Amino acid sequence: MMVAAGLLATSALTSCKKEEVKTAKTTSQSNGALNKGGGTKWYDWITDNCIPSSQKTCLDEVVVRPHKLVPLDAAIAGGGGTIATLFSNQTVALELIPEFNDAGFAPIRAAILSGNYNFDKTVNANTNLVHYILGPVGNINHAAPLIVLEYSVQP
């Protein structure tokens, strides 16, 4: 009887440990930049807003001070090659896009670093939100962006 109780306790303990590992794995997977699921947002170009949806074109909102966006604005003016140079600096890239090194973000990262893509900036007049829409150089389509960076600019 003691052996059976010991096996039952070990089995219960193992089940809990398996569940903890499973939960941690699920959590880390859900933090990927392009995963679909709860909390995903789609860019509504008509209202210039990121809204809840089953699709994800908007990355998680990043709260920044205005000076943090100055290098991105300057790079946009310089074109796709300047964007690639800016984002080749890992410190800057991670400040502007926390998901930059996530495995799920690899295709977008490659596009940014290719020099063939640039951003277009929009400022929502009703909020403190600024959006940067990524698309091919010379053909940034607000209705079908590759990805949208959303910043809440704080004084």
Side-chain angles (χ1 to χ4, degrees), residues 41 58-65 68-69 92-100 128-132 148-154:
K41 291 183 178 181
C58 291
L59 294 182
D60 293 336
E61 181 182 312
V62 177
V63 177
V64 295
R65 302 248 185 240
K68 291 290 185 180
L69 298 177
V92 173
L94 290 170
E95 273 186 357
L96 293 173
I97 308 174
E99 300 93 338
F100 195 75
N128 62 340
L129 295 176
V130 176
H131 295 107
Y132 289 86
V148 176
L149 309 179
E150 183 175 47
Y151 296 98
S152 175
V153 181
Q154 303 297 312

Side-chain angles (χ1 to χ4, degrees), residues 47-50 122-131:
T47 63
D48 184 28
N49 199 14
C50 289
T122 67
V123 178
N124 191 318
N126 299 321
T127 67
N128 62 340
L129 295 176
V130 176
H131 295 107

Side-chain angles (χ1 to χ4, degrees), residues 4 16 18 25 32 43-44 47 61 74 79-81 87 106 113-114 120 137 146-147 155:
C16 288
K18 283 182 185 175
K25 185 176 180 185
Y43 181 69
D44 180 351
T47 63
E61 181 182 312
F87 281 95
L113 295 175
S114 74
D120 192 17
V137 170
L146 188 58
I147 203 75

Side-chain angles (χ1 to χ4, degrees), residues 64-105:
V64 295
R65 302 248 185 240
H67 72 276
K68 291 290 185 180
L69 298 177
V70 171
L72 180 55
D73 292 339
I76 289 170
T82 310
I83 288 290
T85 300
L86 176 71
F87 281 95
S88 65
N89 178 322
Q90 285 292 302
T91 303
V92 173
L94 290 170
E95 273 186 357
L96 293 173
I97 308 174
E99 300 93 338
F100 195 75
N101 288 329
D102 289 0
F105 194 72

